[in-house]
Amino acid sequence: MYKILIIEDEAINQLILQQSLERQGYEVAIASDGAAGLTLAQDFNPALIICDWMMPQMSGLEVCHRVKADRYLANIFFILLTARTDIKDRIEGLDSGADDFLSKPIQPNELLARVRAGLRIYQSAQALRQLTEALQTQQQHLEAELAQAASYVTSLLPKPLSGKVHIDAQFLPSQQLGGDCFDFYWLDDDHLVLYVLDVSGHGLGAALPSVSMQQVLRSQSLPNANFYEPSSVLVALNQIFQMSTQNPRFFTLWYGVYRHSRRTLDYASAGHPPAILVAPSGDIQCLGQAGQLPVGVFADSAYASDQHTIQPGSILYSFSDGLYEIQQAEGELWTYEGLSQVLSQLHRSGSVTLNTIFETIHDLNARETFEDDCSIIQARF
């Protein structure tokens, strides 16, 4: 049973409205002035209000304005009862928030038709509001679960490393979860593995395969792979993580193995940005192969390793393309070459931390956040 509130100062109109509506089974409450009507609306919780326009002390327009301004009452369907017919008056009523008008003298048939129409609209609005609240609740649950998942993924990332090689890293997902991943650890006392991978896409769909590959590499459970030989690792990953059989996502990877006793770095890449090696002088060198396909595209893709001798005091950066594929304030897309120049300039100016790098890039970025997942490793030899 719908509840209808009548706000009317004339007793005869109160009687006509009340009897017409109660005969149709509606529950009716009556207030004789605007202030009493507003108070009663809070307690009665009507679906529809019929309010006279011209009343002493508080007009129907003021009542309507206050009802629509109250977030607990705003969804009530509001009908202004008036003898006015001028279009300017109707516009004024609509601007105050009125949903419909009922002309004086009251015609019972017109009254009931407008009430039925108003209640249909009210019912639809209530259903939409309930659906919106349910969706908001689901979204809150989903965001909480994604936050837990993001916290778990972050906990899997390695902690900063010190000793023969000092390594720091940073991960900034474009969403709560991202497809970037990195790791670094000693295979033995002389060999250090460090890599960055980037799964295509964003969110949970990219994070799951990223975590899976990290665990495979960390546990060294990859069949037919020589973890001391970067190209062997890429070939083995490509055989297992094919888009056609595993998931519709590919990933890029830069994988390196540093041999401390000989100061050599063996590395291979699969569609990933070359790592940048900064010499003590500030000169830079790009370590990576052009034209290599990402992992997962073709099962017969071939990968090759290269080797580079590392000077003491050199610093290596490996990163995902989200670090430099950003929109600058003037609208141009930043480039890998731009990042290389910035790293060289920063190192020629003094000691460089990851925070320094990110502050510099944020100054170039036209947005507050990165559009793509962003990861970077800084290894000081």
Side-chain angles (χ1 to χ4, degrees), residues 59 98 144 176 214 238 311 355 380:
S59 71
Q176 285 182 309
Q214 182 198 48
N238 189 60
Q311 299 179 46
N355 286 335
R380 298 176 178 271

Side-chain angles (χ1 to χ4, degrees), residues 146-160 171 173 176-177 180-184 211 214-215 218:
L146 286 175
Q148 292 178 352
S151 178
Y152 171 72
V153 170
T154 302
S155 72
L156 297 176
L157 296 175
K159 307 301 180 186
F171 170 52
Q176 285 182 309
L177 289 168
D180 281 12
C181 182
F182 56 81
D183 209 350
F184 41 85
V211 170
Q214 182 198 48
Q215 296 307 305
R218 185 174 289 181

Side-chain angles (χ1 to χ4, degrees), residues 27-87:
E27 183 179 350
V28 179
I30 297 177
S32 297
D33 58 70
L38 288 172
T39 301
L40 187 54
Q42 297 283 352
D43 298 329
F44 188 55
N45 191 26
L48 186 145
I49 292 176
I50 300 174
C51 181
D52 189 14
W53 186 317
M54 299 301 295
M55 293 186 297
Q57 297 180 355
M58 184 183 297
S59 71
L61 288 183
E62 178 64 19
V63 174
C64 181
H65 178 74
R66 293 195 184 188
V67 166
K68 295 300 182 179
D70 188 322
R71 66 189 185 96
Y72 296 106
L73 305 177
N75 290 327
I76 297 173
F77 196 86
F78 199 99
I79 298 178
L80 271 176
L81 181 62
T82 178
R84 300 186 179 192
T85 58
D86 193 274
I87 188 65

Side-chain angles (χ1 to χ4, degrees), residues 4 26 85 87 124 144 188 203 308:
I4 298 177
Y26 300 121
T85 58
I87 188 65
S124 297
D188 56 38
H308 190 83

Side-chain angles (χ1 to χ4, degrees), residues 6-21 30 50 52 54 81-82 102-107 111:
I6 298 170
I7 307 176
E8 168 63 74
D9 60 328
E10 294 184 10
I12 186 62
N13 286 333
Q14 290 179 0
L15 184 60
I16 293 172
L17 290 168
Q18 182 177 15
Q19 289 183 351
S20 298
L21 294 172
I30 297 177
I50 300 174
D52 189 14
M54 299 301 295
L81 181 62
T82 178
L102 183 63
S103 299
K104 287 184 177 181
I106 301 169
Q107 299 296 324
L111 164 66

Side-chain angles (χ1 to χ4, degrees), residues 216 220-227 232-241:
V216 166
Q220 299 183 36
S221 58
L222 191 60
N224 305 317
N226 178 0
F227 288 91
S232 172
V233 173
L234 268 59
V235 169
L237 284 171
N238 189 60
Q239 291 173 349
I240 292 179
F241 292 98

